[in-house]
Amino acid sequence: MQLKIALLGGDGIGPEVLTESVKCLQAVAETFDHSFTYSKALIGAAAMKKFRTPLPDQTLEIALEADALLFGTIGTLQYDNNPSSPIRPEQGLLRLRKELGLYANIRPVKMFPEIIKNSPLDRALVSGTDFEIYRELTGGIYYGEKKLSDDGTVATDICTYSEKEISRIAHKAFKAAKKRRKKLTLVDKANVLETSRLWRRVVKTLSESYPEVTLECLYIDNAAVQLLLNPTHFDIILTDNMFGDMLSDQGSVIIGSQGLLPSASIGEKHCMFEPVHGSYPKAEGKNKANPVASILSTALLLGHFGMKEESRAVIAAVRKSFKKKIVTPDILGSSKYGTDYVGDFIADHINDID
Amino acid sequence: MQLKIALLGGDGIGPEVLTESVKCLQAVAETFDHSFTYSKALIGAAAMKKFRTPLPDQTLEIALEADALLFGTIGTLQYDNNPSSPIRPEQGLLRLRKELGLYANIRPVKMFPEIIKNSPLDRALVSGTDFEIYRELTGGIYYGEKKLSDDGTVATDICTYSEKEISRIAHKAFKAAKKRRKKLTLVDKANVLETSRLWRRVVKTLSESYPEVTLECLYIDNAAVQLLLNPTHFDIILTDNMFGDMLSDQGSVIIGSQGLLPSASIGEKHCMFEPVHGSYPKAEGKNKANPVASILSTALLLGHFGMKEESRAVIAAVRKSFKKKIVTPDILGSSKYGTDYVGDFIADHINDID
Ligand SMILES: [Mg+2]
Ligand SMILES: [Mg+2]
């Protein structure tokens, strides 16, 4: 297969972990005889430095022309400490998602038995955890109109959802549930929010078209608790943009490190793959960031294009790195291995499938 | 001291746990020679059944005349399954908070060493956990205008905060931090939300008046993770209405049961005390709900009115119940003790301070 892949490293540790992902994709290309070509582009604070905008036209062009995007991370301490800056790195990512129509963000949370002792939670509780969060990605309060009164004393954010925005991702979530354990959990705050009530109504109506899937509805505060106390209860979780942001970071706690969770963002025409974790500015350039979340994102990319065996080979190589303890210090405190060494190990083991 | 206390049991297990709290308040009154008088009133689904409104006028009147309110819980399965109902039990509580001006909701999260093994988290991580969440309670998206388009396909929730709403609770939080470990963590989503940026600006400006308090700012998704991985890091957490709702339910996971967390809601003139947990409709009438969160809420009430020794006596009696394993089954699966037995035990031990 031929694929044009855009590489948007972004800020912080993004470019570093992306380098390791490209090594893995190249190992896949060689082992399985595919041809992947890459174009790099700037986004976020890195783009603002050079182009004064977090999403330059040439970056958007490269993104629109690619078959798939690999994304790093976004945000720097400079802007985190100054959230009132009128132009911000995150705006680049938010606009990119919107321009590419990437409305469905899929975040698989799967416990790897090799590193189960890394979870701060009871082993018996988390063993067998295997769920996917379907987070709506281009609507809700993150995209709604923002206002600040002229005197700067009153601020407003607007959260809006339409039936169409809800049903298109809900269909994707129901279809995914059908292929898995046939359970879908809608997470909302329908006892308080009007948008949540619309989510519930739309999803309940849609569920009639998926009679084999069991639908349950949970309030977000309860879901956040149940996710920790009973993670194996969940199969597919469907939720809005903000609730999904919060829940998926909790997913990383369950499996023991923020450096492990990959994600896929899917629209009608485009697709993008990125780690769930943030830009971790303190680790930038120190060769200690965990590349696994980004590498597992390439496994999602390969799976998305039907390359199932290739996807499995990447995951198998990652698990081999766990088994051999070739991991970054977030996984094993005493580990001396850096980002690049772990990436090399995983890439090197993609071709030696047992 | 003389106190007029309004008792609003609400729905589900609310009235049951409140009964145990009144036992404890009476034990305090007798032991320490105070005079507490009580007036009961209906709220929530219980009020809707009789008065067709979740906050009847007579309830509001009783609440306004009382020195303090003890609140139970709100919500029933009937309405949880039908969140589109135009009148809902929760509206009674939301309006009550607004009418009484209860803008500061304070939720202490403290690990009791006697039951530390109940935490699903690593013992070493959670040992010594002792923080308080200051949640803004009468603003933000829970109170903003709600709209549904005429054709029912587009829903909107509006989140608004003013400088005044932020600064009055921030002052309370800074003052609390001053008396504790002098650390305040503001939790927001300032990289995306305009209201969060206003929070950050107002709180940063205010912090100059509290030079002895160290201020840190965390994004909500990161805070939810840090709360689990490093709960002893936190002293005072200050946050908005919705983020506070989510974070405090997580606090209950840390300390091992949803049946343990009390809360105080404070305004300029009124104050209300209630468990953090929900109405747990499945346990209603089964004498198995944990009364401790409600009983610890009376300790907050007593402390609020300056009755420090009385407050400590209630907490000591609760800890004695843990030590003697006189607890409900959420704390010890094999326990045969019911809500009333545990409440009696705690009330009976309020007068025998060691
Ligand atoms: Mg996040
Ligand atoms: Mg809650």
Side-chain angles (χ1 to χ4, degrees):
Chain A
M1 181 176 274
Q2 295 206 338
L3 282 182
K4 273 195 292 182
I5 300 174
L7 303 176
L8 278 61
D11 307 319
I13 58 169
E16 298 165 46
V17 297
L18 216 58
T19 300
E20 306 312 314
S21 293
V22 174
K23 283 181 193 167
C24 294
L25 281 177
Q26 273 316 97
V28 166
E30 284 159 30
T31 309
F32 295 90
D33 207 17
H34 298 301
S35 159
F36 303 150
T37 55
Y38 309 94
S39 343
K40 279 193 185 184
L42 292 174
I43 189 166
M48 289 164 73
K49 226 187 220 168
K50 197 162 169 196
F51 300 103
R52 289 163 176 268
T53 161
L55 182 65
D57 290 344
Q58 49 269 66
T59 297
L60 186 57
E61 224 165 88
I62 286 171
L64 287 166
E65 278 172 11
D67 298 309
L69 284 82
L70 267 189
F71 186 84
T73 58
I74 215 151
T76 64
L77 282 184
Q78 182 198 342
Y79 290 96
D80 279 0
N81 291 333
N82 179 21
S84 298
S85 160
I87 307 179
R88 302 183 42 75
E90 288 85 356
Q91 291 166 347
L93 178 57
L94 289 174
R95 208 187 125 213
L96 182 69
R97 288 171 178 166
K98 199 79 178 183
E99 296 277 356
L100 300 185
L102 304 174
Y103 61 81
N105 183 228
I106 302 154
R107 301 179 162 192
V109 178
K110 198 170 172 161
M111 191 76 227
F112 292 105
E114 296 87 357
I115 52 167
I116 193 168
K117 70 172 179 40
N118 273 28
S119 175
L121 286 153
D122 233 39
R123 216 169 294 189
L125 275 184
V126 296
S127 173
T129 294
D130 177 10
F131 60 83
E132 292 187 353
I133 299 174
Y134 274 65
R135 168 190 173 192
E136 201 289 327
L137 199 60
T138 56
I141 199 165
Y142 287 11
Y143 281 94
E145 196 190 342
K146 278 139 195 43
K147 280 183 279 192
L148 186 66
S149 63
D150 290 340
D151 63 356
T153 64
V154 182
T156 301
D157 294 285
I158 296 181
C159 180
T160 298
Y161 268 111
S162 70
E163 202 176 287
K164 187 188 147 202
E165 286 175 303
I166 297 164
S167 67
R168 64 186 180 182
I169 184 169
H171 273 298
K172 277 196 161 36
F174 274 112
K175 281 176 190 153
K178 244 174 99 167
K179 288 195 197 149
R180 291 173 45 106
R181 300 197 309 278
K182 302 183 175 40
K183 191 152 85 184
L184 192 147
T185 305
L186 173 66
V187 173
D188 61 31
K189 189 74 185 174
N191 51 343
V192 180
L193 302 181
E194 196 64 44
T195 45
S196 288
R197 288 189 276 269
L198 183 62
W199 271 84
R200 225 172 245 218
R201 210 157 50 235
V202 172
V203 171
K204 279 194 176 170
T205 306
L206 268 190
S207 75
E208 290 163 21
S209 319
Y210 300 90
E212 59 278 74
V213 177
T214 308
L215 171 66
E216 85 176 342
C217 302
L218 283 185
Y219 297 141
I220 173 69
D221 38 350
N222 186 22
V225 169
Q226 296 310 321
L227 207 66
L228 297 168
L229 295 184
N230 199 5
T232 57
H233 168 83
F234 296 98
D235 183 14
I236 296 284
I237 294 173
L238 170 64
T239 192
D240 81 2
N241 201 342
M242 191 175 62
F243 296 149
D245 191 7
M246 281 164 224
L247 278 186
S248 45
D249 283 294
Q250 276 197 36
S252 71
V253 174
I254 298 171
I255 63 162
S257 170
Q258 296 195 270
L260 297 174
L261 287 191
S263 83
S265 301
I266 311 286
E268 301 306 342
K269 288 195 214 131
H270 301 280
C271 57
M272 182 162 98
F273 304 85
E274 58 176 305
V276 168
H277 62 68
S279 60
Y280 197 12
K282 283 182 209 156
E284 184 181 344
K286 294 196 176 143
N287 196 30
K288 65 181 224 186
N290 190 341
V292 165
S294 180
I295 289 172
L296 288 175
S297 300
T298 70
L300 293 181
L301 182 157
L302 295 164
H304 180 77
F305 287 99
M307 294 179 265
K308 307 272 182 224
E309 200 189 337
E310 291 84 337
S311 175
R312 277 194 296 269
V314 171
I315 296 168
V318 166
R319 293 183 65 168
K320 192 164 282 178
S321 77
F322 292 154
K323 227 174 281 173
K324 302 261 182 202
K325 301 198 185 345
I326 310 292
V327 292
T328 43
D330 57 308
I331 302 296
L332 188 67
S334 62
S335 172
K336 299 276 179 296
Y337 300 114
T339 310
D340 55 359
Y341 192 94
V342 172
D344 283 337
F345 178 92
I346 295 170
D348 286 350
H349 286 78
I350 280 172
N351 56 3
D352 69 337
I353 308 161
D354 300 321
Chain B
M1 180 175 276
Q2 293 206 339
L3 281 181
K4 271 194 292 181
I5 300 174
L7 303 176
L8 278 61
D11 307 319
I13 58 170
E16 299 165 46
V17 296
L18 216 59
T19 300
E20 307 312 315
S21 292
V22 174
K23 284 181 193 168
C24 294
L25 281 177
Q26 273 316 98
V28 166
E30 285 159 30
T31 309
F32 295 89
D33 205 19
H34 299 302
S35 160
F36 303 150
T37 55
Y38 308 95
S39 344
K40 279 193 185 186
L42 292 174
I43 189 166
M48 290 164 73
K49 229 188 217 165
K50 195 160 169 197
F51 300 102
R52 289 164 175 268
T53 162
L55 182 64
D57 290 343
Q58 48 269 66
T59 296
L60 185 58
E61 224 164 89
I62 287 172
L64 286 166
E65 280 171 10
D67 297 310
L69 284 82
L70 267 189
F71 186 85
T73 58
I74 215 151
T76 64
L77 281 183
Q78 182 199 342
Y79 290 97
D80 280 1
N81 291 332
N82 179 20
S84 297
S85 160
I87 308 179
R88 304 182 41 73
E90 288 85 355
Q91 291 165 350
L93 178 56
L94 289 174
R95 210 188 123 211
L96 182 69
R97 289 172 177 166
K98 198 81 178 182
E99 296 278 355
L100 300 184
L102 305 174
Y103 61 80
N105 183 228
I106 302 155
R107 302 180 162 192
V109 178
K110 197 168 173 162
M111 191 76 226
F112 292 106
E114 297 87 357
I115 52 167
I116 191 167
K117 70 173 180 38
N118 273 27
S119 175
L121 285 152
D122 233 39
R123 216 170 293 190
L125 275 183
V126 296
S127 174
T129 294
D130 177 9
F131 61 83
E132 290 186 355
I133 299 175
Y134 274 65
R135 169 190 174 193
E136 201 289 327
L137 200 60
T138 56
I141 198 163
Y142 287 10
Y143 281 94
E145 195 190 342
K146 279 139 196 40
K147 279 182 280 191
L148 186 66
S149 64
D150 289 341
D151 63 356
T153 64
V154 181
T156 301
D157 294 287
I158 296 181
C159 180
T160 298
Y161 269 111
S162 71
E163 203 176 287
K164 187 187 146 202
E165 285 174 304
I166 298 165
S167 67
R168 63 186 180 181
I169 184 169
H171 273 299
K172 277 195 162 37
F174 273 112
K175 281 175 189 153
K178 244 174 99 167
K179 288 195 198 150
R180 291 173 45 104
R181 299 197 309 279
K182 301 181 175 44
K183 193 152 84 183
L184 192 148
T185 305
L186 173 66
V187 173
D188 61 30
K189 188 73 186 177
N191 52 343
V192 180
L193 301 181
E194 196 66 41
T195 46
S196 288
R197 288 190 276 270
L198 182 62
W199 271 84
R200 225 172 244 218
R201 210 157 50 236
V202 171
V203 172
K204 279 194 175 170
T205 306
L206 269 190
S207 75
E208 289 163 22
S209 319
Y210 300 91
E212 59 279 72
V213 177
T214 308
L215 172 66
E216 86 177 341
C217 302
L218 282 185
Y219 296 141
I220 172 69
D221 38 351
N222 187 22
V225 169
Q226 295 310 320
L227 206 68
L228 297 168
L229 294 184
N230 199 6
T232 58
H233 168 83
F234 296 97
D235 182 15
I236 295 285
I237 294 173
L238 170 64
T239 192
D240 82 3
N241 201 342
M242 191 174 62
F243 296 149
D245 191 7
M246 280 165 225
L247 278 186
S248 46
D249 283 295
Q250 276 196 37
S252 70
V253 173
I254 298 171
I255 64 163
S257 171
Q258 296 194 272
L260 297 173
L261 288 190
S263 83
S265 302
I266 311 286
E268 302 306 342
K269 288 195 216 131
H270 302 280
C271 57
M272 182 163 98
F273 303 86
E274 59 175 305
V276 167
H277 61 70
S279 60
Y280 197 12
K282 282 181 209 157
E284 185 181 345
K286 295 197 175 141
N287 196 28
K288 63 182 227 187
N290 190 341
V292 165
S294 180
I295 290 172
L296 288 174
S297 300
T298 69
L300 295 181
L301 182 157
L302 295 164
H304 179 76
F305 287 98
M307 294 179 264
K308 306 274 182 222
E309 200 189 337
E310 292 84 337
S311 174
R312 276 194 297 269
V314 171
I315 295 168
V318 166
R319 292 183 66 169
K320 193 164 282 178
S321 78
F322 293 155
K323 227 174 280 172
K324 302 261 181 202
K325 300 201 186 343
I326 310 294
V327 292
T328 42
D330 57 308
I331 302 297
L332 187 66
S334 61
S335 172
K336 300 275 178 297
Y337 300 114
T339 309
D340 55 0
Y341 193 94
V342 172
D344 283 336
F345 178 92
I346 295 170
D348 286 350
H349 286 79
I350 280 172
N351 56 1
D352 68 337
I353 306 163
D354 300 321

